[in-house]
C-alpha cells in the first residue's frame, strides 16, 4: 500500500487525540476559499436547511461542525440563535474573524464559538439550554471525518449519542454524508451540480477508495484548485506570503493549490442503522433526503441528508445528561 496515497491530509492532532486534518493551516486556508462566504452556498441549500429547521420548530441550534463558520453564519443571517464548536482551531479562527468583523450585529455579537469535539461534547465550555438544543447540525460531509479506529463504530456511536444528548426532547439532528455507495461502486463521486458550494476555483477532485479485507474503509479526496493569488495572500509580520510559500506579485495570476482529506465511507443503509442504534430509546424516527429532495429510483444524489427526531418522554428532561451535568456543577 502506498502511504502517500492513503494518508490523511495532516498528521496533526486535535484536542483529546482526534486527528485534525486541518492542523497545518494550509487545508483550512484553501478550504475557506473553496467554501467561500455564505453567498457561496446555493439557494437550494440555504432554503432547504432553513425550511427543515423551521418546519420542526427549531430556533436554538448547535453547529457541531462549525469549521470556518459558513453554516453558522448562514443560520445567524436567517434569524437562528447559533452555538458553534469544532475540533480544529485552524478552522475556527475564520469563524472568529467573522464574528469580530460583524460584532455590531446582535446575532454575531452573541454568537458563541468554542473549540471542542464530538467525543466529549457535553464537557464543552458552552451554555447548554436547560432541556437541550432545538437542533444539532453536522453538515458538509463533516461526520465522515471521524474514522472507525476500532472497527466496531464505537467512537462514531459515542459521537452520535452525544449529539442526541445535546438535543431537547422532540429536537432534531441534521447530519449528512456523501453518496459513498456510488463512490464505492464507481470509484467516482456522482456528477452534477454541487448544491453545497458554488466555488469557481475547482480544477478537479480525484477519488481513491481504500479496502481492507475486501471492505471499503476509507475514501480519500484530492482537491485540486486554481485559486487567484490575491485570495491566498496574507500578512504575516508585515510581509505578504501565500499558502504555497511562493511570493506572488501579480494579483491577476492564479496559484495551483492542492489538499487531501480522508473520510470514513458511510453507506446509506448502514448509517441509518447506526443512527437508530446510537439514539437508542430516544430514537423517534428519521427521514432521508437526497440533495434535500425526496429519494427516488432515478435520483443519484451527491449527498444523503438524515433528519433524526429525538423522542419525548415524561422523565427525559430530569434524567438528561445536561441536567445531570448541571447538578454536578
Amino acid at each position: 500500500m502506498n502511504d502517500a496515497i492513503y494518508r490523511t491530509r495532516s498528521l496533526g492532532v486535535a484536542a483529546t487525540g482526534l486527528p485534525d486534518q486541518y492542523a497545518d493551516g494550509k487545508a483550512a486556508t484553501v478550504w475557506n476559499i473553496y467554501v467561500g462566504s455564505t453567498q457561496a452556498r446555493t439557494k437550494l441549500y440555504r432554503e432547504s436547511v432553513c425550511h427543515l429547521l423551521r418546519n420542526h420548530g427549531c430556533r436554538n441550534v448547535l453547529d457541531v461542525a462549525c469549521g470556518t463558520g459558513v453554516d453558522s453564519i448562514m443560520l445567524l443571517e436567517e434569524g437562528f440563535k447559533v452555538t458553534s464548536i469544532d475540533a480544529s482551531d485552524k478552522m475556527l479562527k475564520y469563524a472568529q474573524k467573522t464574528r469580530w468583523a460583524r460584532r455590531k450585529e446582535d446575532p454575531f455579537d452573541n454568537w458563541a464559538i468554542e473549540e471542542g469535539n464530538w467525543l466529549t461534547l457535553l464537557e464543552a465550555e458552552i451554555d447548554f439550554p436547560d432541556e437541550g438544543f432545538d437542533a444539532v447540525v453536522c453538515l458538509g460531509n463533516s461526520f465522515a471525518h471521524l474514522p472507525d479506529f476500532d472497527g466496531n463504530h464505537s467512537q462514531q456511536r459515542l459521537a452520535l449519542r452525544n449529539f442526541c444528548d445535546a438535543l431537547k426532547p422532540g429536537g432534531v439532528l441534521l447530519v449528512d454524508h456523501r453518496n459513498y455507495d456510488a463512490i464505492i461502486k464507481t470509484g467516482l463521486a456522482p456528477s452534477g451540480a454541487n448544491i453545497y458550494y458554488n466555488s469557481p476555483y475547482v480544477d478537479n477532485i480525484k477519488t481513491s477508495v481504500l479496502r481492507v479485507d475486501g471492505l471499503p474503509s476509507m475514501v480519500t479526496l484530492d482537491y485540486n484548485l486554481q485559486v487567484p493569488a490575491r485570495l491566498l495572500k496574507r500578512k504575516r509580520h508585515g510581509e505578504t506570503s501565500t499558502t504555497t510559500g511562493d511570493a506572488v506579485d501579480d494579483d491577476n495570476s492564479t496559484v495551483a493549490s492542492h489538499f487531501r482529506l480522508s473520510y470514513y465511507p458511510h453507506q446509506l443503509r448502514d448509517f441509518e442503522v447506526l443512527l437508530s442504534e446510537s439514539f437508542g430509546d430516544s430514537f423517534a424516527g428519521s427521514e432521508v433526503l437526497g440533495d434535500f429532495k425526496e429519494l427516488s429510483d432515478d435520483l443519484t444524489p451527491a449527498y444523503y441528508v438524515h433528519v433524526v427526531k429525538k423522542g419525548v418522554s415524561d422523565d427525559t428532561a430530569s434524567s438528561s445528561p445536561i441536567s445531570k451535568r448541571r447538578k454536578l456543577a
Side-chain angles (χ1 to χ4, degrees):
M1 183 189 305
N2 188 338
D3 180 64
I5 295 177
Y6 293 111
R7 191 179 65 191
T8 55
R9 177 62 184 86
S10 167
L11 299 183
V13 177
T16 70
L18 285 180
D20 177 6
Q21 298 190 75
Y22 304 92
D24 62 3
K26 292 182 180 180
T29 300
V30 181
W31 184 258
N32 190 49
I33 294 171
Y34 169 56
V35 171
S37 69
T38 54
Q39 300 308 311
R41 291 303 211 207
T42 65
K43 182 181 179 181
L44 172 61
Y45 179 84
R46 176 185 285 260
E47 291 179 349
S48 299
V49 172
C50 294
H51 172 75
L52 282 171
L53 292 174
R54 289 175 179 138
N55 193 46
H56 285 89
C58 301
R59 182 183 178 276
N60 198 354
V61 180
L62 174 62
D63 182 359
V64 295
C66 173
T68 60
V70 64
D71 282 329
S72 293
I73 294 166
M74 178 188 76
L75 293 173
L76 287 166
E77 291 174 341
E78 290 289 335
F80 294 92
K81 180 180 180 181
V82 182
T83 301
S84 306
I85 69 164
D86 200 280
S88 173
D89 61 336
K90 297 298 189 299
M91 296 288 274
L92 282 180
K93 74 176 185 179
Y94 292 97
Q96 292 163 341
K97 286 180 179 178
T98 300
R99 179 178 62 182
W100 175 254
R102 301 181 66 173
R103 64 191 181 280
K104 293 184 179 180
E105 303 173 48
D106 285 344
F108 287 84
D109 187 44
N110 297 318
W111 181 15
I113 305 172
E114 294 291 344
E115 186 175 350
N117 74 72
W118 306 331
L119 303 186
T120 57
L121 178 61
L122 298 184
E123 299 173 16
E125 296 182 1
I126 59 176
D127 290 330
F128 285 90
D130 289 339
E131 285 191 306
F133 289 92
D134 299 334
V136 171
V137 298
C138 185
L139 298 171
N141 195 44
S142 297
F143 192 75
H145 278 301
L146 182 59
D148 181 22
F149 288 118
D150 300 324
N152 58 8
H153 304 287
S154 59
Q155 291 191 329
Q156 295 168 353
R157 292 175 194 276
L158 174 58
L160 291 171
R161 183 65 210 177
N162 284 340
F163 294 171
C164 174
D165 289 341
L167 286 169
K168 73 175 187 181
V172 294
L173 166 67
L174 268 59
V175 58
D176 68 2
H177 55 84
R178 282 185 177 269
N179 186 346
Y180 289 111
D181 295 73
I183 292 175
I184 292 167
K185 182 178 179 180
T186 67
L188 300 170
S191 59
N194 189 325
I195 66 167
Y196 283 67
Y197 313 118
N198 278 332
S199 173
Y201 309 124
V202 177
D203 188 5
N204 61 75
I205 301 176
K206 298 185 181 298
T207 306
S208 304
V209 180
L210 172 65
R211 296 176 183 271
V212 176
D213 294 331
L215 299 176
S217 62
M218 183 186 295
V219 166
T220 297
L221 300 181
D222 284 283
Y223 296 81
N224 297 290
L225 295 83
Q226 292 291 334
V227 182
R230 66 182 182 278
L231 294 181
L232 287 174
K233 287 184 178 180
R234 59 188 179 185
K235 295 292 184 180
R236 187 175 284 176
H237 304 299
E239 298 180 0
T240 301
S241 62
T242 70
T243 56
T244 61
D246 299 321
V248 179
D249 297 321
D250 184 0
D251 282 346
N252 294 321
S253 65
T254 61
V255 176
S257 297
H258 163 261
F259 63 97
R260 169 179 297 157
L261 294 174
S262 296
Y263 305 95
Y264 182 84
H266 292 287
Q267 297 179 68
L268 178 58
R269 300 310 172 196
D270 292 340
F271 194 65
E272 288 184 282
V273 172
L274 185 64
L275 285 167
S276 174
E277 292 179 349
S278 299
F279 269 58
D281 292 339
S282 297
F283 183 77
S286 66
E287 177 185 13
V288 182
L289 303 171
D291 293 342
F292 293 100
K293 300 176 182 178
E294 290 187 10
L295 295 181
S296 63
D297 293 337
D298 58 352
L299 175 67
T300 303
Y303 289 81
Y304 287 114
V305 184
H306 301 257
V307 185
V308 188
K309 185 88 170 181
K310 181 176 180 177
V312 179
S313 63
D314 294 337
D315 61 348
T316 300
S318 61
S319 62
S320 71
I322 293 175
S323 299
K324 292 178 180 178
R325 191 181 86 154
R326 292 183 184 277
K327 291 177 181 179
L328 294 174

